[in-house]
Amino acid sequence: MLNTRVKASPKSPEKMRVRRDTLTAYAFLAPFLLTLLVFFFYGFVRAVYFSFTDYDLFNPPKFVGLKSYINIFQDDKFRIALTNTLLFSFVTTTLQTAGALLLAVVLNQRIRGLMFFRSAYYMPSITSSVVITLVFLWLFQKKGIANYLTTQFTQYTPHIVLFVVVLVVAQIIQVIFERLREAKNYVPEHREATSFDALARIRRVTYVHWSDPLLLWISAAIGGIAVLVASFMGWIQPRDVATFDFDWVYNTDKLFGLLPIPLLFIILMNTFTTIPTLMLFFLAGLQGIPTSLYEAAELDGATPGQKFWYVTVPQLQPVTFYAVTISLIGTLQMFDQVKVIGDAAPLDSIITLSYYIYNYSFRGGSSLAGMASAAAMILAVLTLLVVLVQRQFFKDEVNR
């Protein structure tokens, strides 16, 4: 008995410490768990129950079975909202992911004023979506700056074409000249180089890329001078075109007969505001890629495009999986920007499932909360299915 008491004595304080730590952890988690319990689990159970009733927010709900779900699929507005939601989610997720990755690659370079550019590009992400929506409405109105720039582009097309042609030709000539000159001067050194650093140094010196920034600036200057001379000599003139007054918002047309123009407007707006957030994830991932991989690729003669495709993209696969997942979930539940635009656009062109649920729940005088709850359940199932399908494309990351 004496030995048992001696052995149990040091464990009791340890158990008390573990118990005390556990209670402390639960105390810190309690506010979040309580919120989750009330606003998610309780709300979800209530929504499931209401989806099988004719609840209208004012009278006691009556059980109607699957009638709400049947009515949903017979409602034209629901089919339009479902189509718009899927289109919006697919296009926006693609644009956001690709744009965020490219922006992160650019901002991962050692350039002057890097912190300023990173802060400037992140600003849209912390700006109110209401403010961003109003700014975009102003930019894309019929007399807005988007239509003005389009008119100017059409009017000065000859100048732009001449500038691009001269720039490309000048760049090609300069790169070929530099490659021939450097190959003549440095190839013998390359043969004599034996160390890793010497090989890397010579590779950087002797290989001039087609997109070399310094040569590109010189080519742009040559192109600008060519345009000025051609304009001064009267060889090219601005075209006489009508003012472009395209209505981006109140428009019933569809791009390729599929994507409503106002929904495309919201896609551009949502992409602009969400890319900075995803960019941070990719930027963190880029800084974790070993530089030795890029050095090895350089020694093998890989171009910047090959290094991006065969080194950067595979190394960022875990980040890409996370970015695509949260982007899919966010776009499937998009609501605020459609609500802010409101009557400024035709409802059928912008309605999404989230807005459909809101519209049927709180429309004045005839709330259809039962149907709205059924639509919410369908949206929840759709989100789960889309994420499960997306996981099939990232099986390696899921199984890690």
Side-chain angles (χ1 to χ4, degrees):
M1 292 295 293
L2 181 59
N3 293 336
T4 303
R5 288 178 180 175
V6 171
K7 290 181 180 177
S9 179
K11 292 184 178 178
S12 297
E14 180 66 21
K15 289 183 178 179
M16 291 180 62
R17 189 186 65 79
V18 172
R19 188 179 296 116
R20 186 170 58 250
D21 291 345
T22 305
L23 290 176
T24 303
Y26 279 121
F28 277 105
L29 289 173
F32 172 74
L33 293 176
L34 185 61
T35 304
L36 190 68
L37 188 65
V38 173
F39 292 101
F40 182 77
F41 287 107
Y42 178 72
F44 181 77
V45 171
R46 293 276 290 180
V48 171
Y49 168 66
F50 288 145
S51 69
F52 294 100
T53 68
D54 62 350
Y55 188 46
D56 60 1
L57 295 181
F58 300 105
N59 299 307
K62 294 180 182 179
F63 184 77
V64 295
L66 295 174
K67 184 178 179 181
S68 295
Y69 290 93
I70 296 173
N71 291 338
I72 283 269
F73 285 104
Q74 292 177 343
D75 186 6
D76 292 338
K77 279 284 186 295
F78 174 78
R79 291 195 291 270
I80 294 172
L82 179 61
T83 305
N84 286 347
T85 300
L86 292 175
L87 283 172
F88 177 83
S89 180
F90 175 76
V91 177
T92 307
T93 299
T94 304
L95 293 177
Q96 287 176 353
T97 306
L101 175 58
L102 295 176
L103 187 59
V105 170
V106 172
L107 294 182
N108 195 44
Q109 307 299 318
R110 294 180 179 178
I111 57 177
R112 186 170 297 178
L114 182 60
M115 294 304 296
F116 167 77
F117 288 116
R118 286 180 178 178
S119 302
Y121 281 110
Y122 189 69
M123 286 297 292
S125 185
I126 60 175
T127 306
S128 167
S129 61
V130 175
V131 175
I132 294 288
T133 304
L134 293 176
V135 170
F136 265 72
L137 283 172
W138 174 73
L139 291 175
F140 285 86
Q141 60 180 328
K142 291 187 72 172
K143 301 296 182 183
I145 193 169
N147 285 346
Y148 171 77
L149 292 177
T150 305
T151 303
Q152 295 300 309
F153 179 83
T154 309
Q155 190 174 6
Y156 288 94
T157 299
H159 301 71
I160 296 171
V161 171
L162 177 62
F163 174 79
V164 172
V165 169
V166 174
L167 183 145
V168 171
V169 172
Q171 184 73 3
I172 291 173
I173 293 174
Q174 287 189 96
V175 170
I176 292 175
F177 175 78
E178 289 295 326
R179 286 189 176 187
L180 291 175
R181 185 176 65 85
E182 292 176 349
K184 181 179 178 181
N185 295 334
Y186 292 100
V187 164
E189 294 184 16
H190 185 281
R191 291 173 181 170
E192 296 172 2
T194 55
S195 66
F196 180 89
D197 291 339
L199 285 172
R201 178 175 56 79
I202 291 172
R203 174 69 64 184
R204 284 195 296 269
V205 170
T206 58
Y207 190 81
V208 178
H209 297 294
W210 294 104
S211 59
D212 185 90
L214 179 59
L215 299 183
L216 203 56
W217 276 108
I218 297 174
S219 301
I222 296 173
I225 293 172
V227 171
L228 288 175
V229 172
S231 299
F232 181 77
M233 299 299 293
W235 296 337
I236 55 174
Q237 297 289 338
R239 298 172 60 199
D240 186 14
V241 297
T243 303
F244 189 76
D245 58 351
F246 186 75
D247 195 337
W248 293 85
V249 182
Y250 202 86
N251 194 321
T252 56
D253 296 337
K254 293 184 177 180
L255 184 65
F256 304 123
L258 185 65
L259 184 64
I261 296 299
L263 191 62
L264 174 63
F265 169 76
I266 298 176
I267 287 173
L268 295 176
M269 187 165 49
N270 192 275
T271 302
F272 175 75
T273 57
T274 309
I275 274 182
T277 302
L278 302 182
M279 176 203 66
L280 286 185
F281 302 145
F282 283 114
L283 197 56
L286 284 171
Q287 295 175 0
I289 300 177
T291 55
S292 58
L293 296 178
Y294 292 106
E295 292 173 352
E298 284 184 10
L299 286 179
D300 289 339
T303 63
Q306 290 172 326
K307 286 189 288 184
F308 173 78
W309 188 252
Y310 294 108
V311 178
T312 303
V313 172
Q315 291 294 315
L316 288 178
Q317 195 171 9
V319 182
T320 306
F321 170 73
Y322 177 71
V324 171
T325 300
I326 64 170
S327 182
L328 282 173
I329 294 174
T331 52
L332 286 172
Q333 300 174 353
M334 199 277 295
F335 167 78
D336 51 346
Q337 291 163 340
V338 174
K339 175 60 179 174
V340 173
I341 292 176
D343 295 335
L347 181 61
D348 288 351
S349 299
I350 60 172
I351 188 171
T352 59
L353 280 180
S354 295
Y355 190 77
Y356 176 90
I357 295 168
Y358 168 83
N359 198 29
Y360 273 57
S361 296
F362 302 107
R363 63 182 183 180
S366 59
S367 172
L368 297 174
M371 283 184 62
S373 299
M377 293 302 103
I378 294 173
L379 176 60
V381 173
L382 177 65
T383 304
L384 180 63
L385 288 176
V386 170
V387 173
L388 288 176
V389 170
Q390 180 254 344
R391 285 164 62 97
Q392 299 302 313
F393 293 96
F394 294 90
K395 286 184 178 179
D396 293 339
E397 294 308 317
V398 175
N399 295 328
R400 281 188 181 182

